[in-house]
């Protein structure tokens, strides 16, 4: 067993905050740290979307907050794509990084004040540990995935989490747009 899913998610949040701090304070490390940040955030999001968000919706009655969180994941992924495509030495990089930090910090604050506490209250410890195992396995599977390259199946999961109807009949690009709109 790997641990309580709530604790594991919060550990990832702290690591992302540490990486943001490094990126802001040490511009010379950006070329090395951007791929690390991108990989961690993408893997974290995919694992949450596949394993944690469905449980939060179905077992902790958090459908509205999950839909909102899913939209924030999609927005952060767009910013990650932009960050990866921006010269780390440019002023534009500073702006994109600032936007990403603001978006992810907002998302983390909301998730840690709504979804995660309710999961801790509503799900017993064995279930949270089971979800922890699934979260770690999902995150491991997706380490190395690049932002903006989700499969149609992953996008359909995002659409379900966001409450988008009729997504199975949409093209990948349309699914992503609908998740962002939701």
């Amino acid at each position: 067993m790997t641990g309580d899913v709530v604790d594991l998610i919060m550990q990832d949040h702290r690591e992302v905050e540490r990486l943001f701090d490094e990126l802001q304070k040490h511009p010379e490390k950006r070329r090395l740290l951007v791929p690390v940040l991108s990989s961690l955030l993408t893997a974290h999001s995919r694992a949450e979307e596949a394993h944690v968000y469905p449980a939060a919706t179905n077992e902790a009655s958090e459908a509205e907050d999950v839909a909102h969180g899913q939209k924030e994941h999609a927005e952060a992924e767009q910013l990650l794509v932009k960050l990866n495509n921006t010269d780390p030495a440019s002023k534009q990089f500073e702006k994109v990084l600032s936007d990403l930090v603001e978006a992810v910090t907002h998302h983390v604050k909301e998730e840690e004040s709504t979804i995660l506490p309710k999961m801790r209250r509503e799900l017993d410890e064995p279930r949270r540990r089971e979800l922890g195992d699934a979260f770690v396995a999902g995150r491991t599977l997706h380490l190395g995935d690049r932002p903006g390259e989700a499969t149609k199946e992953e996008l359909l999961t995002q659409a379900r989490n966001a409450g988008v109807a009729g997504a199975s009949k949409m093209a990948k690009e349309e699914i992503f747009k609908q998740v962002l709109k939701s």
Side-chain angles (χ1 to χ4, degrees), residues 45-100:
S45 294
R46 298 280 189 278
E48 272 190 343
E49 292 160 5
H51 305 289
V52 179
Y53 280 3
T57 298
N58 298 324
E59 300 170 45
S61 304
E62 281 292 317
E64 188 176 319
D65 288 326
V66 164
H68 180 72
Q70 183 62 70
K71 179 182 177 188
E72 290 176 339
H73 278 194
E75 291 168 348
E77 187 159 340
Q78 280 188 316
L79 289 167
L80 274 174
V81 168
K82 197 171 182 180
L83 191 72
N84 276 280
N85 293 326
T86 305
D87 178 358
S90 71
K91 289 287 183 199
Q92 182 63 21
F93 185 92
E94 297 284 341
K95 171 71 171 121
V96 176
L97 178 60
S98 175
D99 290 348
L100 179 64

Side-chain angles (χ1 to χ4, degrees), residues 6 8-9 12 15-16 35 39 44 49 60 69 73 75 85-86 102 111 118 124:
V6 174
L8 293 168
I9 290 170
D12 273 7
E15 179 60 13
V16 167
S39 182
H44 175 93
E49 292 160 5
H73 278 194
E75 291 168 348
N85 293 326
T86 305
E102 183 180 325
E111 195 170 77
K118 189 149 187 200
D124 63 20

Side-chain angles (χ1 to χ4, degrees), residues 130-147:
E130 179 184 330
L131 287 170
D133 290 342
F135 174 76
V136 169
R139 188 180 59 196
T140 301
L141 176 70
H142 291 288
L143 276 175
D145 286 6
R146 298 198 31 92

Side-chain angles (χ1 to χ4, degrees), residues 99-163:
D99 290 348
L100 179 64
V101 168
E102 183 180 325
V104 171
T105 300
H106 170 82
H107 172 73
V108 165
K109 183 178 179 183
E110 284 187 347
E111 195 170 77
E112 289 185 0
S113 66
T114 59
I115 296 171
L116 297 180
K118 189 149 187 200
M119 287 185 73
R120 196 177 303 273
R121 283 190 312 272
E122 299 291 326
L123 306 180
D124 63 20
E125 183 180 351
R127 179 63 175 138
R128 291 193 317 270
R129 287 189 172 282
E130 179 184 330
L131 287 170
D133 290 342
F135 174 76
V136 169
R139 188 180 59 196
T140 301
L141 176 70
H142 291 288
L143 276 175
D145 286 6
R146 298 198 31 92
E149 297 179 0
T151 66
K152 185 167 184 178
E153 186 176 313
E154 290 163 345
L155 290 170
L156 288 170
T157 297
Q158 292 177 6
R160 260 191 314 278
N161 292 338

